[in-house]
């Protein structure tokens, strides 16, 4: 049974890692077409991401939108989660549920809703649309992570701080926020990664007026298959690995994943 288990795990690993290995190999192809095994070895397609203006513009747009939407999502989630935790008000719990609801719906439904909303108020095609849409759609992630962080705060410690004369802001700044901050960072990181890779909502809220990298890749595929697309896929993979490594290092990853302390 041990031997069969090892065979199964090996096949499962190949199944998971095989496509990544193929894409990584293709990204170093020296020829100007997708081919596996690669024909020659070259870094030219990684260089082109930053050397070609159209790819660099899309990369800059994607990073700007991902950072902005992740920041906005955390800024919205933090006070909601804090009010729910500290005061346990009914309307705050309803607002928390409302914030989680968009993430439950299929992205195409949310994309259609944002398309209708922005079109009706004359904002269709604006870059800010993607930031707002991603922040709302991904709001559930920082809401959940920050709520988990706040649940880790010992309320007796908070009461002791207030008994000693600390103001509400001082307690939040010196006791609550340092504990919740790693969880807020985790929510920010999750939002950043998903926003960076998201395609449907971005396309339907701005069309082709703002080309994020996923939209740019889709447009490029209509004219051929270039190894630069594989290079971008590898670059995204590296970014994701770095982000999740930072989450594991600076946040309580087992707690975020549901482990009981």
């Amino acid at each position: 049974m041990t031997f069969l288990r090892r065979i199964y795990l090996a096949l499962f690993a190949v199944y998971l890692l095989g496509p990544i290995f193929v894409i990584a190999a293709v990204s170093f192809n020296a020829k100007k077409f997708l081919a596996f095994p690669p024909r020659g070895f070259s870094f030219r397609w990684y260089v082109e991401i930053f050397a070609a203006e159209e790819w660099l513009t899309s990369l800059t747009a994607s990073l700007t939108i991902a950072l902005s939407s992740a920041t906005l999502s955390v800024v919205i989630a933090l006070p909601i989660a804090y009010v729910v935790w500290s005061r346990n008000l009914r309307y705050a719990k309803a607002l928390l549920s409302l914030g989680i609801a968009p993430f439950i719906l299929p992205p195409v439904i949310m994309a259609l809703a944002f398309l209708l909303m922005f079109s009706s108020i004359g904002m269709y095609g604006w870059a800010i649309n993607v930031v707002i849409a991603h922040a709302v759609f991904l709001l559930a992630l920082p809401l959940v992570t920050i709520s988990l962080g706040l649940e880790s705060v010992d309320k007796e410690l908070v009461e002791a701080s207030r008994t000693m004369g600390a103001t509400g802001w001082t307690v939040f700044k010196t006791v609550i926020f340092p504990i919740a901050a790693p969880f807020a960072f985790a929510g920010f990181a999750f939002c950043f990664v998903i926003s960076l890779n998201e395609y449907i909502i971005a396309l339907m809220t701005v069309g082709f007026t703002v080309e994020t990298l996923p939209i740019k890749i889709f447009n490029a595929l209509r004219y051929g298959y270039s190894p630069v697309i594989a290079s971008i896929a590898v670059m995204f993979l590296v970014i994701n690995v770095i982000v999740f490594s930072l989450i594991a290092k600076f946040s309580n990853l087992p707690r975020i994943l549901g482990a009981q302390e």
Side-chain angles (χ1 to χ4, degrees):
M1 289 299 294
T2 302
F3 176 75
L4 293 178
R5 187 183 297 112
R6 289 177 180 177
I7 293 295
Y8 171 78
L9 292 176
L11 291 175
F12 189 67
V14 171
Y15 174 77
L16 292 178
L17 299 177
I20 297 175
F21 174 75
V22 171
I23 290 296
V26 168
S27 70
F28 295 106
N29 188 26
K31 302 297 182 180
K32 196 175 182 178
F33 54 85
L34 294 175
F36 184 82
R39 313 292 175 80
F41 183 87
S42 175
F43 286 99
R44 60 180 293 196
W45 308 116
Y46 289 92
V47 174
E48 186 170 336
I49 298 174
F50 303 95
E53 182 179 356
E54 63 272 16
W55 288 110
L56 182 59
T57 300
S58 296
L59 174 61
T60 303
S62 289
L63 290 174
T64 302
I65 289 171
L67 287 170
S68 301
S69 60
T71 301
L72 179 59
S73 191
V74 171
V75 167
I76 297 173
L78 182 58
I80 297 175
Y82 177 72
V83 170
V84 171
W85 172 79
S86 62
R87 302 189 180 181
N88 202 26
L89 300 176
R90 287 185 179 180
Y91 73 83
K93 290 183 177 180
L95 195 59
L96 181 65
S97 301
L98 189 62
I100 295 175
F103 196 69
I104 300 174
L105 298 174
V108 67
I109 301 299
M110 291 302 301
L112 180 59
F114 284 119
L115 170 64
L116 295 175
M117 183 186 74
F118 290 128
S119 298
S120 63
I121 61 178
M123 287 181 57
Y124 180 75
W126 294 14
I128 191 66
N129 296 357
V130 189
V131 174
I132 296 173
H134 280 181
V136 173
F137 179 64
L138 301 174
L139 185 59
L141 300 175
L143 276 175
V144 171
T145 58
I146 294 172
S147 296
L148 288 173
L150 291 172
E151 289 175 3
S152 303
V153 178
D154 187 351
K155 289 193 175 184
E156 292 184 358
L157 185 61
V158 174
E159 291 298 327
S161 301
R162 289 174 177 167
T163 301
M164 295 178 67
T167 63
W169 168 245
T170 301
V171 172
F172 177 81
K173 183 175 63 174
T174 60
V175 178
I176 298 173
F177 185 73
I179 297 175
F183 293 86
F185 170 75
F188 173 89
F190 286 136
C191 290
F192 174 81
V193 167
I194 297 178
S195 176
L196 191 65
N197 292 273
E198 202 282 325
Y199 168 77
I200 298 175
I201 293 176
L203 177 64
M204 294 188 69
T205 52
V206 295
F208 296 109
T209 57
V210 178
E211 278 192 325
T212 62
L213 267 180
I215 294 176
K216 176 65 179 176
I217 291 173
F218 176 79
N219 291 338
L221 288 174
R222 295 188 298 174
Y223 303 103
Y225 299 92
S226 170
V228 70
I229 298 175
S231 301
I232 292 172
V234 173
M235 185 180 68
F236 272 22
L237 175 64
V238 171
I239 291 175
N240 292 348
V241 170
I242 292 174
V243 169
F244 285 110
S245 298
L246 291 174
I247 294 175
K249 182 175 179 60
F250 295 107
S251 299
N252 190 337
L253 189 59
R255 172 71 170 159
I256 293 173
L257 295 178
Q260 298 295 325
E261 295 182 347

